[in-house]
């Protein structure tokens, strides 16, 4: 898969609320479902992931996805997500970017003069119905309906360099630990990013092996994917700002789409949001996702998340066989 002498590999590069998403179709993968193909990619495409993520082609906060077929005829396309440390189970900003790309490139049919188009995307965590809003045929926003989200732990005590903190855990396609930073000496802003990375890593490490991050249906969805460090900048809990630290210290520039679903589940649990209520979720780079609780079924909530994405580059990659850095390097 890595380009040999004289070969090239081309990607479409998009971002959603500032978070990068590099899109490629690298050919067939084994497996009957996208989750199966993720497992195959973990075993067979890790060098390609490293090639696309690492400097000088990428950086420590690069993100992307391989386009794959859907699970069955009910889907339009599938995607295997990847980042600097591996292959993730869910990615909301990537789903938004992927649907915008699929509409923009004509991969999905768009009726003339349509104001909206529905696109069904299969991701490792499940099937996501999405709707792209169109202006003059171009996608201006994408809303995806996420897999059911749920709360798995409340008020876990975790020791950090900011003291003992209360941590909540919820699933939004992946498991996230949530920590309020309103009363700490850090803010969910770019000028505190180094402290936020350290704190996010400490919380994630403390939860390793904890039963709250074990998925009840499929162990391939288990594990703490990231730490959401959030604050309420005003008096309205329906407007929050967060920095999500995922993988091994990777920083999400966007408000984090699957993390938004996890936050919605927690806000509903705490009685701060009901069905039909919106959460205006602000990210590190100034962008916003709008999350909504669509329905509740027992202890699970169905959420939707809306954001926009923009194409910023087409990248053509080569690998000089004499290049001493090879697949690349990461400084963090």
């Amino acid at each position: 898969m890595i380009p040999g002498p004289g070969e090239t590999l081309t990607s479409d590069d998009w971002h959603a609320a500032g978070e990068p998403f590099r899109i490629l179709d690298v050919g067939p993968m084994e497996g009957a479902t996208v989750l199966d193909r993720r497992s195959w990619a973990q075993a067979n495409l890790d060098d390609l992931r490293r090639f696309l993520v690492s400097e000088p082609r990428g950086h420590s906060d690069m993100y992307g996805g391989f386009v794959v077929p859907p699970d069955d005829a009910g889907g339009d396309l599938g995607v295997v997500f990847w980042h600097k440390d591996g292959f993730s189970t869910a990615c909301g900003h990537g789903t938004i970017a992927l649907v915008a790309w699929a509409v923009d490139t004509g991969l999905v049919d768009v009726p003339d003069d349509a104001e909206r188009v529905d696109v069904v995307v299969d991701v490792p965590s499940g099937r996501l119905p999405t709707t792209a809003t169109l202006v003059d045929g171009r996608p201006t926003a994408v809303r995806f309906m996420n897999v059911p989200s749920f709360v798995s732990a409340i008020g876990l005590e975790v020791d950090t360099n900011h003291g003992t903190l209360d941590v909540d855990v919820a699933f939004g396609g992946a498991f996230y630990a949530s920590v309020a930073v309103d009363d700490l000496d850090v803010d969910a802003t770019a000028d505190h990013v180094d402290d936020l990375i350290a704190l996010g890593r400490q919380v994630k490490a403390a939860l390793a092996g904890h039963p709250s991050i074990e998925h009840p249906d499929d162990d391939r969805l288990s594990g703490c994917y990231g730490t959401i460090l959030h604050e309420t900048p005003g008096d309205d809990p329906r407007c929050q700002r967060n920095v999500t630290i995922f993988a091994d210290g990777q920083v999400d520039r966007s408000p984090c789409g699957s993390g938004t679903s996890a936050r919605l589940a927690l806000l509903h649990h705490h009685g701060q949001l009901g069905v039909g209520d919106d959460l205006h979720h602000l990210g590190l780079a100034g962008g916003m996702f709008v999350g909504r609780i669509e329905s509740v079924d027992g202890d699970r909530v169905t959420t939707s998340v809306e954001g926009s994405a923009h194409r910023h580059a087409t990248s053509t990659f080569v690998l000089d066989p004499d290049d001493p850095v090879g697949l690349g390097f990461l400084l963090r």
Side-chain angles (χ1 to χ4, degrees):
M1 294 291 186
I2 297 170
E7 297 177 338
T8 62
L9 191 62
T10 300
S11 71
D12 273 347
D13 289 2
W14 289 64
H15 77 88
E19 178 71 358
F21 195 69
R22 180 164 280 169
I23 301 170
L24 303 93
D25 184 344
V26 295
M29 300 184 195
E30 294 181 10
T33 67
V34 171
L35 184 56
D36 292 340
R37 295 182 186 107
R38 172 182 178 261
S39 298
W40 186 87
Q42 287 176 307
N44 294 276
L45 297 182
D46 201 56
D47 280 353
L48 178 59
R49 177 195 61 80
R50 289 174 54 205
F51 173 80
L52 293 165
V53 165
S54 299
E55 298 181 49
R57 290 164 293 274
H59 51 79
S60 296
D61 298 297
M62 177 55 68
Y63 214 115
F66 298 135
V67 181
V68 297
D71 290 353
D72 55 49
D76 292 300
L77 72 162
V79 57
V80 172
F81 299 118
W82 44 265
H83 50 76
K84 84 173 179 72
D85 293 303
F87 295 84
S88 54
T89 61
C91 178
H93 92 274
T95 299
I96 291 168
L98 184 74
V99 171
W101 167 83
V103 172
D104 191 64
T105 59
L107 183 67
V108 297
D109 293 330
V110 179
D112 292 339
D113 301 323
E115 295 182 355
R116 291 177 178 81
V117 62
D118 294 331
V119 182
V120 178
V121 182
D122 287 331
V123 305
S125 58
R127 173 157 286 177
L128 308 184
T130 79
T131 300
T133 300
L134 310 176
V135 174
D136 297 328
R138 299 191 66 244
T140 58
V142 174
R143 179 174 289 274
F144 68 89
M145 193 82 68
N146 204 358
V147 299
S149 300
F150 57 88
V151 176
S152 59
I154 296 292
L156 300 177
E157 292 188 348
V158 172
D159 292 330
T160 74
N161 61 359
H162 294 272
T164 301
L165 302 180
D166 286 341
V167 177
D168 297 339
V169 181
F171 181 83
F175 283 101
Y176 291 91
S178 280
V179 179
V181 299
D182 302 78
D183 298 327
L184 303 183
D185 58 353
V186 294
D187 297 319
T189 55
D191 52 344
H192 290 268
V193 70
D194 290 340
D195 289 335
L196 294 167
I197 291 172
L199 178 56
R201 280 174 160 161
Q202 289 170 7
V203 171
K204 180 176 178 177
L207 293 179
H210 194 274
S212 66
I213 56 174
E214 296 176 2
H215 195 275
D217 302 324
D218 194 324
D219 192 55
R220 291 176 293 180
L221 302 177
S222 296
C224 182
Y225 179 52
T227 304
I228 302 174
L229 305 165
H230 62 89
E231 61 188 2
T232 305
D235 297 327
D236 189 350
R238 295 171 298 181
C239 180
Q240 296 189 350
R241 179 169 56 215
N242 86 91
V243 176
T244 298
I245 309 299
F246 64 95
D248 182 18
Q250 192 160 343
V251 182
D252 197 331
R253 274 76 171 148
S254 81
C256 187
S258 54
T260 296
S261 290
R263 291 294 306 143
L264 287 165
L266 284 164
L267 289 166
H268 178 265
H269 175 88
H270 291 300
Q272 295 176 298
L273 282 181
V275 175
D277 290 341
D278 285 346
L279 170 67
H280 292 83
H281 219 197
L282 308 176
L284 184 69
M288 181 175 70
F289 291 162
V290 179
R292 180 181 304 146
I293 297 176
E294 300 289 351
S295 64
V296 178
D297 184 7
D299 62 351
R300 301 202 171 196
V301 298
T302 297
T303 68
S304 67
V305 180
E306 184 177 71
S308 60
H310 304 274
R311 180 174 175 269
H312 63 86
T314 296
S315 302
T316 300
F317 301 104
V318 300
L319 179 59
D320 183 342
D322 298 322
D323 187 343
V325 304
L327 295 181
F329 58 92
L330 296 172
L331 295 182
R332 175 171 58 77

